[in-house]
Amino acid sequence: MMKHILKTAKPALAFLLLIGSGAASAAPSCTATYATRDDWATGFVVDVVVRNAGTAAVSGWKVSWTYGSPVTLANPPWNANVSINGNTVTSTDNGSNPSIAPGGSVSFGMPLSYSGGKPAPGAITVNGANCVETTAPTNPTNPTPPAASSSLYVDPQSSAAVWARNNPSDGRSADIASRIANQPGAKWFGGWSGNIGTAVGNYVGAAAAANKIPVLVAYNIPARDCGQASAGGAGSLAAYQDWIRAFATALGNRQAIVVLEPDALPQLDCLDANGKAARVQLFQYAVTQFKNLATRTSLYLDIGNSSWLAPAEAATRLANAGIANAHGFSLNVSNYRTDAESNAYGVAVSNALQQQKGYGKPFIVDTSRNGNGPNGTQWCDPAGRKIGVPSRINAAGSQPEMTLWIKSPGEADGCAAAAGAFSPDLAYKLIYGY
């Protein structure tokens, strides 16, 4: 299914918490990050990351803080059990992270509602120990994703932008321009792109000239989409190797974010044994090319969505595909799973990688169409869906690392229009959830 956008909001509040050993049973040495985002008139979303900076595993954890006024849960939390008693929020392990290894971390979050002014947290405790607050780092260090959401590139030639410019008298044009076309978006590259080195080079060159960072999707794997609505791809293994090498070469030392082959790893099951082995080898080859030739690219291997593979199986496929040498993995591309579901699943996949291979990986989530969640099992332009939260880069160490509009709202899956074709009717309905 063809996946084709992206706007951003900086965290409204972020600070680093240094947690000492002041509890009776000696709280572990660790750091934690607290950040709020996605503010609306009566609420906001909280992201918390707790990292074990000590030498012994933490077998249990409880994080608490008290606001200046009462709050309530607006929707279910993710990756933690959360209880609220008036002004006080307490988060504990929900079974997914009973122990934090030395150097390891847990992340969780929740949407909160309030009345009156936005409340600020008081002293934060972890296992009873007070936390010392310092300013959080603003830039992730290695590898990069971009330091600020405003640094992401807005493509003036996106399908939504072109349609809005060409149809100024259409009553939907202003909304489509402001709500979709003016947001940063991922550009998809495949066989339709012509000479891939030229196409990628021109695109990242335009982004660099604007001092912005582009988001690109590589979508040309042989036997793409198992012959469904977005069927196609390179005609041979050698042709794909040439294509992906030229793609990586064109990026060079310019900063970029690349999502590699949406759905290709979850769809291994539609291939025979030889086809599965060949596809995994192509992923390994691609990862190597990006590592060696695109030195400032953050590469994310796609692993489908939270309703597809069990976390352990997703981790196994990512490891086999070479994720050890990539930045991370992507979730929910062109799908509709809620943030809470995707975030919990991503952490579970990263934890499974840690258990299987000794390392975890950051992940990103496509929020372009998940504002109303899924419509049952319908995936092909289902009615009543809505754009999700604008794209953002979360506080350093958060999971997910970023949420991005990877699928371009208004570009069809193959039912409302041909796969990848822009439909203004579809775009307008996604803006308002019709």
Side-chain angles (χ1 to χ4, degrees):
M1 57 208 80
M2 188 105 174
K3 332 280 175 187
H4 282 288
I5 222 168
L6 183 84
K7 165 178 166 146
T8 56
K10 294 182 180 179
L13 172 66
F15 46 79
L16 186 68
L17 312 172
L18 304 179
I19 303 161
S21 55
S25 57
S29 174
C30 59
T31 63
T33 320
Y34 171 100
T36 68
R37 56 175 169 82
D38 299 342
D39 291 63
W40 61 96
T42 58
F44 52 90
V45 175
V46 175
D47 290 313
V48 177
V49 180
V50 177
R51 187 176 304 278
N52 182 0
T55 58
V58 179
S59 59
W61 51 269
K62 179 170 72 173
V63 179
S64 298
W65 62 88
T66 299
Y67 290 106
S69 57
V71 295
T72 58
L73 281 170
N75 279 302
W78 53 92
N79 305 334
N81 292 322
V82 174
S83 61
I84 299 178
N85 183 7
N87 302 15
T88 301
V89 177
T90 301
S91 304
T92 58
D93 172 48
N94 66 352
S96 60
N97 293 288
S99 178
I100 314 174
S105 64
V106 295
S107 61
F108 60 91
M110 68 207 74
L112 297 176
S113 296
Y114 61 89
S115 298
K118 180 180 178 181
I124 296 179
T125 65
V126 176
N127 291 357
N130 287 329
C131 302
V132 178
E133 303 167 11
T134 63
T135 301
T138 57
N139 295 330
T141 55
N142 177 32
T144 38
S149 300
S150 59
S151 63
L152 296 169
Y153 183 56
V154 178
D155 180 12
Q157 300 304 320
S158 70
S159 56
V162 171
W163 182 88
R165 283 198 302 269
N166 291 341
N167 296 274
S169 61
D170 190 296
R172 302 165 295 184
S173 182
D175 281 332
I176 290 173
S178 63
R179 301 288 298 277
I180 296 176
N182 288 346
Q183 315 305 332
K187 184 172 180 65
W188 292 60
F189 293 83
W192 60 87
S193 301
N195 183 293
I196 190 60
T198 300
V200 169
N202 288 342
Y203 190 70
V204 297
N211 198 28
K212 302 292 183 180
I213 301 168
V215 182
L216 305 88
V217 180
Y219 196 55
N220 199 37
I221 200 88
R224 188 179 62 211
D225 203 27
C226 295
Q228 299 180 85
S230 291
S236 68
L237 305 186
Y240 185 76
Q241 289 176 328
D242 291 343
W243 187 87
I244 205 71
R245 183 172 61 251
F247 193 121
T249 300
L251 291 168
N253 65 356
R254 292 176 290 197
Q255 195 172 0
I257 298 165
V258 173
V259 176
L260 185 63
E261 299 297 345
D263 288 355
L265 287 176
Q267 287 179 335
L268 282 176
D269 298 324
C270 78
L271 305 172
D272 61 20
N274 289 336
K276 290 177 182 178
R279 178 165 289 187
V280 170
Q281 289 172 359
L282 289 179
F283 264 85
Q284 295 170 350
Y285 180 86
V287 170
T288 299
Q289 300 310 301
F290 281 98
K291 179 182 179 182
N292 293 338
L293 301 173
T295 54
R296 297 182 65 210
T297 290
S298 295
L299 181 68
Y300 297 87
L301 278 57
D302 188 72
I303 198 60
N305 61 73
S306 55
S307 66
W308 204 329
L309 302 174
E313 177 62 20
T316 297
R317 296 191 188 192
L318 287 168
N320 291 341
I323 198 171
N325 290 315
H327 185 82
F329 58 94
S330 59
L331 297 174
N332 204 47
V333 175
S334 296
N335 213 279
Y336 310 91
R337 314 313 298 188
T338 64
D339 288 347
E341 186 177 336
S342 294
N343 295 349
Y345 178 73
V347 170
V349 172
S350 184
N351 288 344
L353 274 169
Q354 180 73 46
Q355 294 167 4
Q356 293 177 17
K357 298 297 180 180
Y359 59 83
K361 286 289 181 177
F363 63 92
I364 58 177
V365 176
D366 183 356
T367 58
S368 60
R369 305 192 298 181
N370 72 345
N372 282 343
N375 185 358
T377 59
Q378 296 181 43
W379 64 265
C380 191
D381 301 321
R385 302 313 90 208
K386 191 175 184 180
I387 54 177
V389 297
S391 301
R392 62 178 180 267
I393 297 166
N394 292 329
S398 293
Q399 291 276 46
E401 191 170 57
M402 294 181 282
T403 57
L404 303 174
W405 284 14
I406 299 172
K407 171 75 175 183
S408 298
E411 291 189 355
D413 295 319
C415 294
F422 182 77
S423 165
D425 186 58
L426 185 61
Y428 190 75
K429 287 179 178 178
L430 283 168
I431 291 171
Y432 291 102
Y434 296 154

